[in-house]
Amino acid sequence: MAAETPKGASAVADGPVAFRTLEKLGPHLSMMMGRGGFHGLLTRALFLAAAEVPWLTTVQVVDGDLVGLKVAHSESDQADLCNGEVVLLAQLLGLLAAFIGPALTLRLLSQIWPQLPFDDPDFSATANEEKAE
């Protein structure tokens, strides 16, 4: 998500970063798994994420796109939105790793975001370093 946030802007203030991340990830996954495969993966990730974040129940997947985000954004506060975005992205990446394996998932992510250090599987250390800068 940090790679999709412009320098000097916070993820919360700048809008739905995870959804921009999903928009960037979607075409790659659709090419790899087919549009139906990506639709199924995103639908399952949304279902799992909605169990943790209630406002996500108002969002649907239609043709591989998330529908209902504008309503959710108008009815939820920024912290809830950010939390939902993170949970949805985490669920999607977790499912992807379960289906194709962690190594192939990391390789795909490194192709999309080559500036990120995917050689370190502990991403929390990288996130903490970026916050310090």
Side-chain angles (χ1 to χ4, degrees):
M1 287 178 55
E4 293 301 316
T5 304
K7 290 277 187 203
S10 75
V12 174
D14 194 48
V17 176
F19 296 128
R20 280 186 274 150
T21 304
L22 287 173
E23 288 174 5
K24 193 167 185 178
L25 188 58
H28 294 275
L29 293 177
S30 291
M31 190 169 32
M32 184 175 73
M33 333 171 68
R35 191 157 175 86
F38 174 63
H39 176 89
L41 187 71
L42 185 56
T43 300
R44 181 66 179 157
L46 181 60
F47 176 78
L48 293 171
E52 292 181 54
V53 182
W55 72 262
L56 284 172
T57 59
T58 64
V59 178
Q60 296 178 338
V61 179
V62 177
D63 294 329
D65 294 321
L66 295 173
V67 176
L69 291 175
K70 289 184 181 184
V71 172
H73 280 258
S74 67
E75 296 176 356
S76 301
D77 67 16
Q78 289 295 330
D80 284 342
L81 292 173
C82 188
N83 182 48
E85 294 159 0
V86 169
V87 171
L88 179 57
L89 184 59
Q91 290 292 351
L92 181 70
L93 293 177
L95 288 171
L96 186 61
F99 291 133
I100 67 172
L104 189 53
T105 300
L106 286 175
R107 189 173 328 151
L108 174 68
L109 295 176
S110 68
Q111 290 173 352
I112 299 169
W113 294 284
Q115 72 275 23
L116 297 178
F118 288 108
D119 56 338
D120 178 13
D122 180 14
F123 297 114
S124 62
T126 303
N128 291 336
E129 289 172 11
E130 288 178 359
K131 286 180 183 177
E133 290 178 358

